[in-house]
Amino acid sequence: MINIFKNITGALSIVLFALFAGGALAQTAPLGTKIVNTATVTYDHPSGPFGFTTNEASFTVVARETPSTIEFFKRLPIAPDSQTVMLNGSDYSVSGVGAPDDFVKVNPRNARSAAAVFSGDELRDKGASTIEQIQFTTPSVTVQNSGQGNSFNIRGIGKTVNGSGVGVGVITYRDGVASFPGYFQNEPFYDTASLEVLRGPQGTFAGQNATGGAVFVTSRNPEFDRFGGYIQGQLGNYDQTLLEGAANLPLSDTLAARIAFHTEERDSFYTVTNGSPILGEPGAKATESYRGSLLWEPTDSLSVLFKTDYNDIDLGGYPATPIGSGGDLFEISTNGPFLAIDETVRSVLNISYEFESGMTLRSITGYQDGTTAARTDLDGTETVSFTFFDKVNERIWSQEVNLISPDEGQLTWIAGAYYQDDLVTIPQGQFVTNQGFDITLEGETPKTTSAIFGQISYDISDQLELQVGARYSESTSGNTGVSAIPALGLAIEQDDEVGDEKVTGKVALNWTVNPNHFLYAFVATRHKAGGLNGPNIAFVPPRSFEPEDVTDLEAGWKATTFDGRLRTQLGAYYNTYKNFQIEIGDPAVPAITSIVNVAGDSTIYGLEASAQARFGAMSLDAGMSLAKSELGKFYAADPRQPRTGPCDPETGPAAGICVNVGGNAQPYAPEMTLSAGLEYDFDLAGGILSPRIDYSHISETWASIFADAGQGDRLEARNILNAQLTYAYDDWRLQAFATNLTDQTYIASVKAGLRYAGAPRQYGIRLTREF
């Protein structure tokens, strides 16, 4: 049983229902009001009842459906039973043991959508240290890492084309700022407060391109109440060494700082069995990441949070083997160069001011600058000398402003504006493909996005809420560049720009049946901007491609049962996509590939379910998704096959390699995903011994719309087993871990005739000391 007593100052306007084993306990506070929270908690444990009183911690109760969080109890001595707090139907979790993540911060926007939320500790315990590994923890998610760019897809929607000219369908936010789209995705999770995965089309708040979903990664903020932090060391196979840590520095009653770092070195998974690389060590890892944060709260009304981080990610190169070559995926043949370095800087300024009326004004300013460099062996053999080299820079400025109403009365609202300027620059001589002769590319890809958006929430009754949201977006996408074959004296220039504008919206109905059951349903429209294909070696004017639109129907049920020990979430969705964007052989010019739009309507629909439970010393979590996807009627030519004639998207003809792909599954859309985790706590020598095991299944998927197994399109099902044994004693935590415990060998992705392997079994020990 858990009992919580809170000293809360504020008027009675919003009810916090603490759904614990002892029943519901109501507390109130107006939105936008800072809360000083001193809590006394007692709970049962196999070794007897435990209790603690938190240090004085403050948080701000924020408006519903806004990108903000609430921080709950910190520094629990041991992990309590699962707890849930509901704010007008929004779910908040409290979990964890020890540092660095003694609490979970959950965004209110997730209550009315399909979402998964993890603390930093939970990510580490599940073996998820980068974006790529999220797919083994969350239903409906797949991530294919095939070199500089990745294909992040939720429900089969995201990005299957790695190029600067096409937008992503899943946007990753870091500390409130939309990060680089599809590139620079190997940044590690460290000193993480929470990670949120929103499944399905977003748009009102997450931006126009989030047709597949959005991911929010939030690092820990500075705190005023204590000096503290953690230091963590890890040793593993492949000569892995990892060192990570953070320190919280209260500088005064109104100013606090936090610093954090993460470094890792690891030998390559790969062995060169034929030939030798002329440059680099393919697959060897050496990374350095640093972050500094500063929080200033001179008054109860003003909060200024600044964060900046630096990442230097060296992966040694992107080793791969040719499709159809057979043999061991980790034994490569090469005579080419290898290089894979990403260097990024990101700064975020978050300012929030609360007026006397209770209205809140918030500003989020972001600046990001990154340079990615790669060299690779394009043919994957030791006999042919096809190579690729590039060094590309991307710079992003962004600004978001929100105005949030007081949460008083039946009607609340949020209004906002957003602007982003994204510039990709390819310097002269820094993008070269060699397949017997050099093909070069240079130029710039400027893109801008501006939007205004808003949402109102109306309480029809104490239990029923109506929400209406809308977003108007304008965007531009340009290409200014030159593609050339210097040996032949040939060059083609491009200086084009396309524009786009769209209004999208959402209507939702939310029903809090009682404190234990919550139902929601909504219809929403989303939008992914069009763009331009780049210069080509056929020396024909590149064509533009149209925007992609989606209509999303969803309904869900969230429940808390067994006296708060079991939480379940069930949802269903049906999405219709118009002008789905894909890359195929150009319909009119056989020699090149182009991004085009599927002529007919494409659909994807399915069910998603998840559960979290804590019964005594045992805790478990599970998630599953079932999905079906179908492309609309569409004729296309596989760019990997030789062509001599045109292939009209609407009329074909269906002859030779011009085929109707209508009815085929969307790429990277598994029909089933499944994940499950089980943990049990044993008392041992004054501490807690916790064995944990996690299982993940992703069914077979297709890597292209052509579903041609002979071309390597079929990616077999993968079954990943992770295990961990943790002993927590006072401020120490010792862990033995293994990821991909069965050492399953599988193809993680395919691209340009090459196949890329998923990570093999890794194991080691990790020691953490909190201070």
Side-chain angles (χ1 to χ4, degrees):
M1 183 175 74
I2 301 176
N3 299 302
I4 294 189
F5 307 91
K6 295 181 180 179
N7 301 319
I8 297 184
T9 60
L12 306 181
S13 63
I14 294 300
V15 178
L16 295 174
F17 292 98
L19 302 181
F20 300 138
L25 175 65
Q27 301 292 349
T28 59
L31 292 186
T33 297
K34 182 170 293 183
I35 305 301
V36 176
N37 176 28
T38 302
T40 301
V41 179
T42 61
Y43 52 89
D44 291 335
H45 188 269
S47 59
F50 284 85
F52 73 98
T53 300
T54 65
N55 296 325
E56 187 171 83
S58 64
F59 59 86
T60 301
V61 181
V62 294
R64 292 165 294 180
E65 298 293 313
T66 65
S68 300
T69 57
I70 293 181
E71 299 179 2
F72 285 100
F73 310 120
K74 304 181 175 81
R75 299 184 61 79
L76 289 96
I78 60 174
D81 287 349
S82 176
Q83 305 175 33
T84 301
V85 177
M86 298 187 72
L87 171 61
N88 281 358
S90 299
D91 294 344
Y92 297 86
S93 298
V94 185
S95 67
V97 52
D101 296 295
D102 304 306
F103 58 88
V104 179
K105 300 201 293 187
V106 184
N107 197 312
R109 64 177 160 257
N110 297 340
R112 295 152 179 84
S113 62
V117 183
F118 304 95
S119 70
D121 275 348
E122 289 170 328
L123 289 172
R124 183 194 57 242
D125 292 347
K126 288 177 172 290
S129 59
T130 64
I131 286 288
E132 182 180 0
Q133 293 156 333
I134 296 176
Q135 63 184 316
F136 302 121
T137 67
T138 307
S140 300
V141 173
T142 60
V143 184
Q144 286 70 40
N145 199 334
S146 52
Q148 280 178 297
N150 68 16
S151 300
F152 194 140
N153 293 271
I154 298 178
R155 299 175 179 172
I157 301 299
K159 185 169 185 175
T160 58
V161 180
N162 289 325
S164 61
V166 61
V168 297
V170 177
I171 299 179
T172 301
Y173 284 79
R174 289 186 180 267
D175 288 319
V177 172
S179 63
F180 300 102
Y183 292 91
F184 305 101
Q185 296 296 306
N186 293 305
E187 179 180 343
F189 300 143
Y190 69 102
D191 199 34
T192 303
S194 67
L195 180 141
E196 309 163 40
V197 181
L198 276 61
R199 300 188 297 272
Q202 309 297 311
T204 304
F205 296 112
Q208 67 171 354
N209 283 339
T211 52
V215 177
F216 292 81
V217 184
T218 304
S219 62
R220 297 194 65 182
N221 292 338
E223 302 170 12
F224 299 112
D225 58 349
R226 68 184 179 100
F227 169 80
Y230 72 97
I231 187 73
Q232 180 182 108
Q234 178 175 309
L235 297 175
N237 60 333
Y238 297 100
D239 286 335
Q240 182 201 41
T241 59
L242 184 153
L243 188 63
E244 177 182 314
N248 186 76
L249 309 169
L251 304 177
S252 71
D253 292 340
T254 61
L255 186 65
R258 188 175 185 90
I259 55 175
F261 73 95
H262 175 101
T263 65
E264 181 183 3
E265 292 187 0
R266 191 209 65 220
D267 288 346
S268 176
F269 301 144
Y270 297 83
T271 301
V272 179
T273 57
N274 295 294
S276 62
I278 60 174
L279 175 70
E281 186 179 352
K285 186 176 185 179
T287 71
E288 296 182 24
S289 297
Y290 306 95
R291 181 185 301 117
S293 307
L294 195 64
L295 176 62
W296 181 47
E297 295 186 351
T299 69
D300 291 339
S301 300
L302 179 63
S303 175
V304 180
L305 175 63
F306 177 76
K307 294 183 179 182
T308 189
D309 53 65
Y310 169 80
N311 298 280
D312 186 356
I313 312 296
D314 186 348
L315 300 180
Y318 304 111
T321 55
I323 292 173
S325 61
D328 193 323
L329 289 174
F330 296 102
E331 293 183 354
I332 63 173
S333 301
T334 184
N335 59 353
F338 284 90
L339 176 72
I341 297 177
D342 289 347
E343 187 174 14
T344 63
V345 174
R346 177 175 50 251
S347 297
V348 180
L349 178 62
N350 190 321
I351 303 175
S352 179
Y353 183 80
E354 178 191 347
F355 298 95
E356 291 184 3
S357 64
M359 190 179 300
T360 300
L361 178 65
R362 181 176 56 230
S363 168
I364 303 175
T365 306
Y367 172 78
Q368 300 169 84
D369 191 279
T371 299
T372 178
R375 291 181 182 269
T376 194
D377 186 336
L378 280 181
D379 57 274
T381 71
E382 80 281 13
T383 56
V384 182
S385 297
F386 291 170
T387 61
F388 172 76
F389 161 69
D390 77 347
K391 187 174 183 180
V392 179
N393 176 263
E394 184 167 13
R395 184 269 301 148
I396 300 176
W397 281 100
S398 64
Q399 175 64 53
E400 180 172 350
V401 178
N402 301 146
L403 187 62
I404 306 166
S405 74
D407 196 67
E408 297 175 354
Q410 290 181 288
L411 183 69
T412 60
W413 51 266
I414 177 173
Y418 180 78
Y419 180 79
Q420 183 187 87
D421 185 283
D422 183 349
L423 178 64
V424 175
T425 302
I426 305 173
Q428 183 178 10
Q430 299 299 301
F431 194 105
V432 181
T433 302
N434 185 288
Q435 293 179 305
F437 51 85
D438 285 349
I439 303 172
T440 65
L441 179 66
E442 62 185 78
E444 295 182 339
T445 304
K447 296 187 291 290
T448 64
T449 299
S450 57
I452 55 174
F453 56 89
Q455 180 169 285
I456 60 172
S457 301
Y458 180 74
D459 293 332
I460 300 173
S461 69
D462 291 341
Q463 295 176 292
L464 196 61
E465 178 192 53
L466 174 68
Q467 288 184 325
V468 179
R471 184 182 186 100
Y472 170 76
S473 300
E474 287 186 353
S475 62
T476 63
S477 178
N479 276 343
T480 303
V482 178
S483 180
I485 303 177
L488 301 179
L490 298 175
I492 184 171
E493 295 185 5
Q494 182 183 16
D495 188 2
D496 295 322
E497 182 179 272
V498 294
D500 178 52
E501 59 180 317
K502 185 71 174 182
V503 176
T504 57
K506 175 181 179 180
V507 177
L509 197 61
N510 307 305
W511 182 24
T512 304
V513 182
N514 56 47
N516 293 321
H517 295 277
F518 176 75
L519 301 174
Y520 66 90
F522 65 82
V523 57
T525 58
R526 302 295 184 244
H527 183 72
K528 182 177 177 182
L532 289 164
N533 286 284
N536 55 76
I537 61 172
F539 302 103
V540 297
R543 66 174 66 203
S544 61
F545 52 92
E546 296 299 316
E548 176 182 298
D549 294 305
V550 58
T551 300
D552 178 25
L553 302 175
E554 292 201 35
W557 168 42
K558 298 188 178 186
T560 302
T561 54
F562 291 96
D563 292 328
R565 287 179 166 82
L566 174 65
R567 291 181 291 142
T568 55
Q569 303 85 35
L570 179 65
Y573 62 92
Y574 190 95
N575 297 337
T576 303
Y577 287 81
K578 295 182 180 295
N579 293 327
F580 186 61
Q581 297 170 357
I582 58 171
E583 184 178 43
I584 61 171
D586 189 275
V589 186
I592 64 173
T593 63
S594 294
I595 300 167
V596 299
N597 301 95
V598 173
D601 289 352
S602 300
T603 60
I604 184 165
Y605 52 91
L607 294 171
E608 295 170 334
S610 56
Q612 307 82 37
R614 177 83 182 191
F615 294 97
M618 181 182 69
S619 62
L620 58 91
D621 58 84
M624 184 181 71
S625 69
L626 301 173
K628 176 70 173 177
S629 66
E630 291 184 359
L631 290 170
K633 182 180 179 181
F634 183 72
Y635 291 93
D638 191 333
R640 299 165 297 186
Q641 302 278 13
R643 284 178 57 206
T644 57
C647 183
D648 186 89
E650 296 187 12
T651 62
I657 64 166
C658 182
V659 296
N660 181 10
V661 297
N664 286 2
Q666 296 187 27
Y668 304 119
E671 291 188 352
M672 184 176 76
T673 65
L674 175 67
S675 61
L678 178 65
E679 184 173 343
Y680 197 92
D681 295 336
F682 298 92
D683 292 317
L684 180 66
I688 302 296
L689 181 68
S690 304
R692 179 180 179 87
I693 191 166
D694 286 278
Y695 168 76
S696 172
H697 169 79
I698 299 176
S699 66
E700 66 181 44
T701 59
W702 294 100
S704 86
I705 63 172
F706 298 99
D708 187 344
Q711 292 285 340
D713 291 345
R714 181 189 176 100
L715 301 181
E716 298 295 339
R718 61 197 72 170
N719 297 278
I720 303 299
L721 193 66
N722 298 337
Q724 185 167 264
L725 182 64
T726 302
Y727 181 68
Y729 181 85
D730 196 16
D731 292 331
W732 292 89
R733 181 170 53 223
L734 179 64
Q735 296 171 301
F737 68 90
T739 57
N740 192 3
L741 186 62
T742 62
D743 202 21
Q744 180 180 5
T745 300
Y746 63 95
I747 299 173
S749 63
V750 295
K751 178 183 176 183
L754 297 175
R755 53 183 192 169
Y756 294 81
R761 177 171 53 220
Q762 295 176 263
Y763 54 86
I765 58 172
R766 180 187 303 121
L767 181 64
T768 305
R769 171 70 160 89
E770 179 189 359
F771 59 88

